[in-house]
């Protein structure tokens, strides 16, 4: 498996210019005919944070210190994951005309979709910084570790994107089922509510939610100014690598027959 991954990585680097063009195309399509364009990557998390802060801080009375940062750190991680995997799911079907005409490694398409969403996530970090300044959140040296949980969720999303792209080719109803799953997944992830508000048995189940670990690690670094919890680090690493390997294996086995279904 390691040898195969190295071979595919070398091949990926060979097609790096194509990957860049695909990412650029996805970003242009996303913001086409938009007046504000890329500014929406900054404004969207800020506006969503304001609305959700008003709802959950005052209506539901969640007593969480520095709730705006608590909310936006969870919000941007989940929003990236949801957008990246949904875009990757349709990547093979959406690029069917190109796949039928010329040979390119097919895994480039789901990966490029995830990377284009990752660019949007990087823009969203400016919104996090603005909220930190506005709320006078203390900055510590641990803030330098902020890329770590982002890399976790990036790798995890690539793996999930490859799995979903295969499922969507063979079973077109995947996109509808996945929409229901991501909605349930969002509510099962402590984005806008405190973990302590859940019963003890539910809190234990949260350990099987990979996004919980990614978000908690990000909050430890950005909000609480401390090193990520060791258990979260182990769980995050295990989840992202396991799903990536599963995605690579499934994609490798099924990609030869894509042409028959697209």
């Amino acid at each position: 498996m390691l040898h195969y991954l190295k071979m595919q990585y070398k091949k990926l680097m060979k097609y790096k210019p194509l990957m860049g063009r695909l990412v650029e195309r996805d970003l242009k399509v996303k913001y086409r005919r938009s007046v504000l364009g890329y500014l929406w990557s900054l404004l969207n998390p800020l506006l969503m944070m304001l609305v959700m802060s008003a709802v959950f801080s005052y209506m539901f009375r969640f007593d969480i210190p520095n709730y705006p940062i608590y909310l936006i750190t969870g919000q941007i991680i989940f929003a990236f994951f949801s957008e990246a995997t949904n875009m990757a799911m349709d990547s093979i079907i959406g690029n069917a005309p190109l796949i039928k005409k010329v040979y390119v490694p097919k895994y480039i398409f789901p990966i490029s979709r995830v990377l284009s969403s990752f660019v949007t996530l990087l823009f969203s970090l400016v919104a996090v910084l603005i909220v930190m300044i506005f709320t006078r959140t203390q900055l510590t040296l641990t803030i330098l570790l902020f890329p770590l949980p982002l890399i976790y969720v990036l790798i995890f999303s690539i793996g999930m994107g490859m799995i979903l792209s295969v499922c969507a080719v063979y079973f077109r109803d995947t996109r509808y089922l996945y929409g229901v799953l991501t909605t349930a997944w969002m509510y099962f992830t402590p984005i806008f509510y405190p973990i302590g508000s859940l019963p003890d048995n539910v809190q234990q189940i949260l350990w099987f939610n990979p996004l919980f670990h990614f978000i908690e690690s990000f909050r430890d670094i950005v909000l609480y100014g401390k090193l990520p919890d060791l258990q979260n680090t182990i769980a995050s690493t295990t989840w992202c690598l396991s799903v990536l390997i599963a995605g690579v294996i499934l994609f490798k086995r099924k990609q030869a027959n894509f042409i028959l279904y697209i």
Side-chain angles (χ1 to χ4, degrees):
M1 175 54 66
L2 288 176
H3 177 69
Y4 177 77
L5 289 174
K6 288 180 180 179
M7 292 286 292
Q8 296 307 311
Y9 178 75
K10 290 180 180 179
K11 190 182 292 185
L12 183 64
M13 290 298 101
K14 180 181 176 181
Y15 287 91
K16 187 177 178 180
L18 174 61
M19 178 84 71
R21 293 298 297 272
L22 290 172
V23 171
E24 182 182 352
R25 183 200 63 180
D26 290 338
L27 290 171
K28 286 182 178 179
V29 170
K30 181 178 180 180
Y31 296 109
R32 185 172 53 192
R33 296 176 183 173
S34 171
V35 175
L36 296 178
Y38 294 106
L39 277 177
W40 279 115
S41 300
L42 169 62
L43 292 175
N44 188 61
L46 284 175
L47 294 174
M48 288 296 295
M49 183 215 65
L50 290 173
V51 172
M52 295 179 73
S53 291
V55 172
F56 292 103
S57 290
Y58 297 101
M59 292 180 64
F60 289 89
R61 303 289 183 180
F62 287 151
D63 186 19
I64 300 176
N66 206 344
Y67 186 72
I69 293 294
Y70 182 91
L71 177 60
I72 199 171
T73 47
Q75 178 189 328
I76 67 167
I77 294 289
F78 192 89
F80 158 70
F81 168 75
S82 178
E83 178 185 87
T85 51
N86 273 285
M87 289 180 64
M89 180 168 50
D90 292 326
S91 61
I92 300 299
I93 297 172
N95 288 284
L98 179 59
I99 292 173
K100 291 177 180 178
K101 288 179 181 178
V102 295
Y103 170 78
V104 289
K106 298 176 183 65
Y107 58 79
I108 281 180
F109 298 109
I111 293 176
S112 66
R113 291 288 178 89
V114 174
L115 291 178
S116 65
S117 294
F118 192 70
V119 172
T120 302
L121 172 63
L122 296 179
F123 281 116
S124 299
L125 293 178
V126 179
V128 177
L129 180 60
I130 291 172
V131 178
M132 291 181 72
I133 294 172
F134 184 77
T135 57
R136 298 180 181 179
T137 303
Q138 185 178 2
L139 292 175
T140 64
L141 287 177
T142 56
I143 197 73
L144 299 176
L145 296 175
F146 81 90
L148 187 60
L150 302 186
I151 292 172
Y152 290 149
V153 72
L154 172 63
I155 295 173
F156 181 77
S157 298
I158 290 173
M160 280 292 296
M162 296 179 78
I163 293 171
L164 289 167
S165 65
V166 173
C167 293
V169 169
Y170 289 92
F171 185 56
R172 299 301 170 93
D173 289 343
T174 299
R175 65 185 69 181
Y176 305 111
L177 294 172
Y178 189 63
V180 176
L181 176 61
T182 49
T183 300
W185 204 335
M186 180 185 69
Y187 286 110
F188 187 60
T189 305
I191 298 171
F192 45 79
Y193 58 82
I195 301 168
S197 65
L198 299 174
D200 291 341
N201 58 332
V202 178
Q203 290 186 38
Q204 293 176 1
I205 299 175
L206 271 180
W207 286 95
F208 297 97
N209 180 353
L211 289 176
F212 163 73
H213 299 288
F214 305 150
I215 290 173
E216 282 299 291
S217 295
F218 193 53
R219 283 174 175 157
D220 282 342
I221 293 168
V222 175
L223 176 58
Y224 303 118
K226 63 180 184 181
L227 295 174
D229 181 84
L230 180 60
Q231 288 182 316
N232 275 332
T233 301
I234 294 173
S236 296
T237 305
T238 303
W239 271 112
C240 68
L241 292 180
S242 298
V243 171
L244 177 64
I245 291 171
V248 169
I249 292 174
L250 180 64
F251 204 92
K252 177 185 176 183
R253 290 180 178 177
K254 299 295 183 180
Q255 63 178 340
N257 293 325
F258 283 172
I259 197 70
L260 302 176
Y261 294 88
I262 59 177

